[in-house]
Amino acid sequence: MRTSRIRLLAATGATLAALALTACEDGTGTEDEGAGTSRPTATATTDTPSDAGKDDSASSDPTAAGGGSQEAGGGKDTGSGGKGGNTDDDKTDEGADDGPETRVACNGSNTTVTARPVSRPLNHMLITVKNTGSGPCDLTYYPVLRFDEMQWVPQPIEETKPQAVVGIDPGESAYAGVLLSAADGSGDGGTTGHKLAVGFQGRTPNSSGGPSAIPSLPAKGVYYDSTLAVSYWQQSMDDALTY
């Protein structure tokens, strides 16, 4: 009996040892799987710093691109500030040199002026202005006439207004026609003038264009009445005497 009990105990111990060994093997396998699971986690941890590195480089790139754009913009501003401003100033200066403001006005100091009645049309007088200067001069608007001590100014004939300022080259002439009196006798306050002053206008209406001229009149004088009117300055004699 004692021998059988010993054998039974030995068999039981062997069985328990086999079970323990199996359990240990199973446990080791589980631990290996756990280690395998932890490795991908470690790999993910390793990848995270790598991604952060990529983010840092990406965030630095826009800064570099932005800096490049600013430099390009600065280059453009410098270019426009350099050439653009100087070019405009140069053009402005050149335009001013060729502008009408630099032209010389015709007046009593650089012209000779004559005034003579004409047979056709009736009751008309022709004023001739000859440029005696060394350069061209301009006649603006119409002559301002004054006989003797008259207190009123003859009005212009609007139909004779030219398209542009009348310019005269040295030695050349321009003209204005004067309606002295109504042909049908309808004018009032008829009188004879013995002295005539021809005034010149400036760039703006009714402004002074310089010294007046005092042309000679016929010895018997010139008759005029309330219909006295004058044409605008004209380039040709025919245009001056059309009205």
Side-chain angles (χ1 to χ4, degrees):
M1 291 294 293
R2 189 174 182 179
T3 304
S4 298
R5 188 175 292 176
I6 291 171
R7 289 177 179 176
L8 178 62
L9 291 172
T12 302
T15 302
L16 291 174
L19 290 172
L21 179 61
T22 302
C24 289
E25 289 175 355
D26 291 342
T28 304
T30 303
E31 289 175 1
D32 291 341
E33 289 176 1
T37 303
S38 64
R39 286 176 184 174
T41 303
T43 303
T45 304
T46 304
D47 292 340
T48 301
S50 176
D51 293 340
K54 291 180 180 179
D55 291 341
D56 292 340
S57 62
S59 63
S60 64
D61 288 343
T63 304
S69 299
Q70 290 175 0
E71 289 176 1
K76 289 180 181 178
D77 292 340
T78 303
S80 61
K83 294 181 180 179
N86 294 338
T87 301
D88 292 341
D89 292 340
D90 293 341
K91 288 182 179 179
T92 302
D93 293 338
E94 290 176 4
D97 291 340
D98 296 335
E101 292 79 3
T102 62
R103 299 273 295 185
V104 176
C106 301
N107 54 47
S109 67
N110 55 13
T111 64
T112 56
V113 180
T114 60
R116 62 180 181 86
V118 294
S119 57
R120 293 286 185 274
L122 292 174
N123 304 332
H124 276 68
M125 182 173 67
L126 179 68
I127 297 176
T128 302
V129 177
K130 183 177 181 180
N131 184 353
T132 57
S134 58
C137 65
D138 291 337
L139 288 167
T140 55
Y141 306 107
Y142 53 88
V144 179
L145 304 182
R146 184 183 183 189
F147 282 104
D148 299 323
E149 302 300 324
M150 67 187 300
Q151 300 301 312
W152 55 282
V153 178
Q155 293 303 299
I157 303 169
E158 290 298 331
E159 294 85 345
T160 65
K161 188 174 183 178
Q163 296 295 321
V165 173
V166 175
I168 317 175
D169 290 329
E172 301 297 324
S173 298
Y175 310 89
V178 182
L179 172 63
L180 294 169
S181 60
D184 58 3
S186 60
D188 297 328
T191 187
T192 299
H194 295 279
K195 181 181 178 181
L196 175 65
V198 178
F200 299 88
Q201 298 188 59
R203 293 291 171 184
T204 57
N206 302 317
S207 64
S208 175
S212 298
I214 310 294
S216 299
L217 294 178
K220 62 179 182 179
V222 174
Y223 179 84
Y224 66 93
D225 63 20
S226 60
T227 62
L228 179 67
V230 62
S231 76
Y232 281 78
W233 293 112
Q234 304 293 324
Q235 208 75 57
S236 74
M237 183 186 306
D238 291 341
D239 290 340
L241 295 174
T242 298
Y243 295 89

